[in-house]
Amino acid sequence: MSLRTPLAEARGLGSAKEGTGHWVAQRLTALALIPLTLWFVVSVLMLMHSNYVSVVNWIHAPWNAILLVLTVLTVYWHAYLGLQVIVEDYVHVGWLKVSVIVALRFIAVILAAIGIFVVLRVAFGG
Amino acid sequence: MTTDTRPLSPHVGIYRWQITMTMSILHRATGLWLAVGTLALIYWLIAATSGPDTYVTAHWFFGTWIGQILMWLWTFSLFYHLCNGVRHLFWDAGMGFKIRTFYITGYSVWAIAIILTALAIIFAYTAGGHP
C-alpha cells in the first residue's frame, strides 16, 4: 500500500494513464469512414435492384472487394470504440461494465471476421 | 457506492433546451443505431455470397415495408452521424468554437443530412440502379 496521496499518484500522469490511443483511433477510423461509407452508400443505391449474379460479380471485382474489407474492418473498429464509451458513461456497476465491454469486443471481432471472410470467399472465387 | 450520497453539481436539468444538446445526444443515438445496422450489413453480405436463394430472401426482406423503413432510418442516421462527425473532427482540430459557428454548423448538419437522405430516397425509387 502506497503512502502517497491519491493526488500525488495522479499528478502528471492523469488518473487513467491511458485513453489517448483510444481517442486517436476513434478519429482516424472516423476519417477513413468518410470516403468508405460514401462509396458504400452509392454502391448499395446502384446495386439495390440487381440480381444475384450482378451482386456477386460486383463483390468479385478487386477494388470492390478491397473497399468492402476495409469498410467492414473500419466500421467494426469505430463502432466498438464508440460503444465502449457509451457503456463506460452509463454502466456504473464494475463487473457488468467490464463484462459488456469484453462481450462487445468479442462480438465486433467475430462479426468483422465473418464479413471479411464472406467477401474474400467471393473475391477469390471460392 | 459511497459516491451516491454526495451532492451533485447542477446538470442538464437546469438548462433551457438548445439545439446543440439535442444534436450531441443524437450523435450518440445514431451511432448506436448504426452499430445495430452493421448486423444488416453482415446479413446482406452473407446472403449475397451464399447463393441465389439466400440472396432472394434478403432482397425480399429489404423490400418489405419494415425493411424499407429500417433502411431509410439507417440511411438518415448514417448521413447525420457522418456530417456531425465531420463537425466533431473540426472541433478536435480546434476550429468552430464560436457560439454563432456552433449554430451555423449545427443547422448545416441537419440540412445536409436531410438533403442527402432525400436524394438517396428519390434516386432509389426512380432511376435507382435499375438494370
Side-chain angles (χ1 to χ4, degrees):
Chain A
M1 170 156 179
S2 171
L3 293 176
R4 304 177 73 194
T5 64
L7 179 61
E9 295 269 286
R11 189 170 277 150
L13 287 169
S15 58
K17 303 177 189 67
E18 59 180 22
T20 311
H22 183 288
W23 190 90
V24 171
Q26 199 170 31
R27 269 79 195 158
L28 291 183
T29 50
L31 202 58
L33 281 169
I34 297 172
L36 288 174
T37 50
L38 286 175
W39 165 80
F40 182 73
V41 170
V42 170
S43 301
V44 168
L45 284 170
M46 301 306 287
L47 283 169
M48 60 184 292
H49 298 296
S50 302
N51 59 25
Y52 170 72
V53 175
S54 311
V55 171
V56 166
N57 283 338
W58 180 80
I59 298 174
H60 188 71
W63 276 112
N64 292 333
I66 290 167
L67 287 171
L68 269 177
V69 167
L70 288 175
T71 303
V72 170
L73 187 68
T74 318
V75 156
Y76 275 110
W77 192 349
H78 188 78
Y80 168 72
L81 293 172
L83 292 172
Q84 182 195 341
V85 175
I86 293 178
V87 174
E88 285 170 352
D89 280 355
Y90 301 132
V91 182
H92 300 303
V93 182
W95 66 268
L96 185 63
K97 173 160 69 180
V98 173
S99 308
V100 174
I101 288 175
V102 169
L104 283 173
R105 184 178 285 204
F106 283 173
I107 292 167
V109 171
I110 290 166
L111 289 175
I114 292 171
I116 291 166
F117 170 77
V118 296
V119 170
L120 291 181
R121 187 176 55 177
V122 168
F124 294 134
Chain B
M1 287 195 292
T2 51
T3 51
D4 284 350
T5 54
R6 290 180 183 175
L8 289 169
S9 300
H11 196 42
V12 288
I14 67 159
Y15 293 97
R16 71 169 168 81
W17 177 85
Q18 295 163 90
I19 183 135
T20 41
M21 60 171 72
T22 306
M23 295 198 64
S24 174
I25 196 62
L26 256 185
H27 192 70
R28 183 163 274 193
T30 50
L32 189 63
W33 176 239
L34 287 168
V36 176
T38 64
L39 295 172
L41 165 68
I42 294 299
Y43 167 62
W44 182 74
L45 281 175
I46 292 172
T49 55
S50 296
D53 294 342
T54 53
Y55 176 77
V56 167
T57 307
H59 202 243
W60 166 82
F61 171 72
F62 289 117
T64 60
W65 64 269
I66 195 158
Q68 305 258 299
I69 290 172
L70 287 172
M71 286 304 288
W72 297 127
L73 285 174
W74 278 319
T75 305
F76 174 75
S77 296
L78 180 68
F79 284 136
Y80 179 90
H81 199 85
L82 181 69
C83 295
N84 206 43
V86 170
R87 188 164 169 247
H88 269 278
L89 287 174
F90 274 101
W91 289 336
D92 295 333
M95 289 181 271
F97 285 114
K98 285 200 170 68
I99 300 289
R100 202 176 128 74
T101 315
F102 272 118
Y103 280 87
I104 293 171
T105 54
Y107 282 111
S108 301
V109 164
W110 276 108
I112 297 168
I114 289 170
I115 289 168
L116 288 176
T117 307
L119 285 176
I121 290 177
I122 292 167
F123 182 83
Y125 290 108
T126 54
H130 279 293

